[in-house]
Every structure is written in structure tokens, then in C-alpha cells.
Amino acid sequence: MKTLIDHLAQYAAYHRDPRNIHTHFVGVPMIMFAVVILLSRPTWQMGDLPMSPALLAALASCFFYFRLDFRYGVTMAALLSAMLVGGQWLAVQTTALWLASGIGLFVVGWVIQFVGHYYEGRKPAFVDDLMGLIVGPLFVVAELGFLVGLRKEVQKAMEERSGPVRLRTGPQAAAHPQ
């Protein structure tokens, strides 16, 4: 199994322009919440716990995150729990509100992502490896942590493989050399 650093470095290689990373701070949570919203229907009861495809996907995702790193696993579980609460609330609203929220966040989130990748001059990571879809939210959490001085050892190891964050301008932004 790939390690935390393996996954983050591979994903980071597609995300070295700070503008791209900043668009991910907005776009990835929007997409993630949209998927939770859309998977929050149908719902069935197992005792007092409402079950949904969103809950099952969140549990599987958390298993993946915890296997990589306990601290990041806790953080991702907390974020997914909050999203599940919001998704469950939207799931019991009208179909129009549920769908508009889910589809709207999904579309706007992807538009923001593609703007970031325009700056990067490189396609999204998931195009080459579908694991990028589950690593992306973890990358965002890691990068936010790096900004406030957390997990510097993870940042150092990741950047040793993927390179430092750098502003891409001019021709190299349009034609990525890697």
C-alpha cells in the first residue's frame, strides 16, 4: 500500500502553483460536500442511525485516511461528519433544493478547479490516477495545515518528491514541462 507521502507527493506534483492550491481550498470542499449531498438519498434507518450511500462512502473514505495517518484520519472524519449532517439535512428537504444544492456545488466546484489547473498548466491528477479523487481532500487539509505551520515533516517529505510551491508564469504555465 502506498504511504501518506506517496499519495500526497503524487497529487502535489499536479499542484505546485499557489493559485491552483488556493482554488482547491474552495473547489475541493464544494465538490466533496456536493457528493455527500447527492449520496444522502436514499436514506434508511438502522436502529436510530440514518443510513445512506453518503455514510457508507464516508466510512470507506475514513478507513482509507486512517490507514494513511491517524491525525489526518481524525481531521477527515470530523470534516466528513459535518458534511454528513449537512447532507442529511438537505436530503430531507424538497427534491428541488436537494438537487440544486448538490448539482450547483458540484458544477461550481469543478469550474473553480479547472481555473486553478489553467494557472497550473497541467491537467487534474485524477485524470491519470482515480485515487486523486480521494487524495484531493486530504491534500487540501494537509496544505491548509502547512500554511499554519503544522506537519512540517510531511510538507518537507512531500516537497522533496514533488518540488516546492512556485508561481507559474509565462510560457511554462501554458506548456507544463513535466
Side-chain angles (χ1 to χ4, degrees):
M1 182 175 139
K2 287 183 176 180
T3 67
L4 171 70
I5 302 304
D6 293 335
H7 281 293
L8 288 177
Q10 181 177 346
Y11 192 87
Y14 292 78
H15 305 87
R16 297 293 73 205
D17 187 295
R19 297 167 296 182
N20 189 20
I21 293 170
H22 292 134
T23 62
H24 281 58
F25 291 158
V26 177
V28 168
M30 289 175 77
I31 295 165
M32 193 173 163
F33 189 37
V35 170
V36 169
I37 291 167
L38 294 170
L39 292 178
S40 290
R41 279 189 186 183
T43 302
W44 61 94
Q45 289 296 124
M46 284 191 76
D48 290 336
L49 182 65
M51 297 292 291
S52 68
L55 179 60
L56 299 177
L59 290 172
S61 297
C62 286
F63 179 76
F64 172 77
Y65 297 134
F66 273 105
R67 286 202 50 181
L68 290 177
D69 184 270
F70 181 77
R71 289 182 282 176
Y72 283 130
V74 169
T75 303
M76 295 306 295
L79 291 170
L80 281 165
S81 295
M83 289 183 180
L84 284 166
V85 169
Q88 185 60 43
W89 182 83
L90 283 163
V92 298
Q93 304 305 312
T94 65
T95 299
L97 179 60
W98 166 70
L99 277 177
S101 299
I103 293 171
L105 284 169
F106 191 81
V107 169
V108 172
W110 277 111
V111 168
I112 293 168
Q113 293 299 92
F114 285 116
V115 168
H117 281 283
Y118 170 80
Y119 290 130
E120 184 79 37
R122 191 153 189 202
K123 62 189 169 189
F126 79 87
V127 173
D128 291 331
D129 183 0
L130 285 176
M131 287 300 292
L133 293 171
I134 193 167
V135 174
L138 179 62
F139 173 80
V140 167
V141 165
E143 285 289 338
L144 283 169
F146 301 158
L147 283 176
V148 297
L150 300 174
R151 305 296 301 266
K152 288 297 187 180
E153 77 285 357
V154 173
Q155 182 180 18
K156 182 178 184 278
M158 185 184 81
E159 288 183 353
E160 283 175 358
R161 294 192 198 179
S162 63
V165 173
R166 65 200 178 280
L167 189 63
R168 302 179 76 61
T169 59
Q172 82 267 17
H176 193 277
Q178 294 177 345

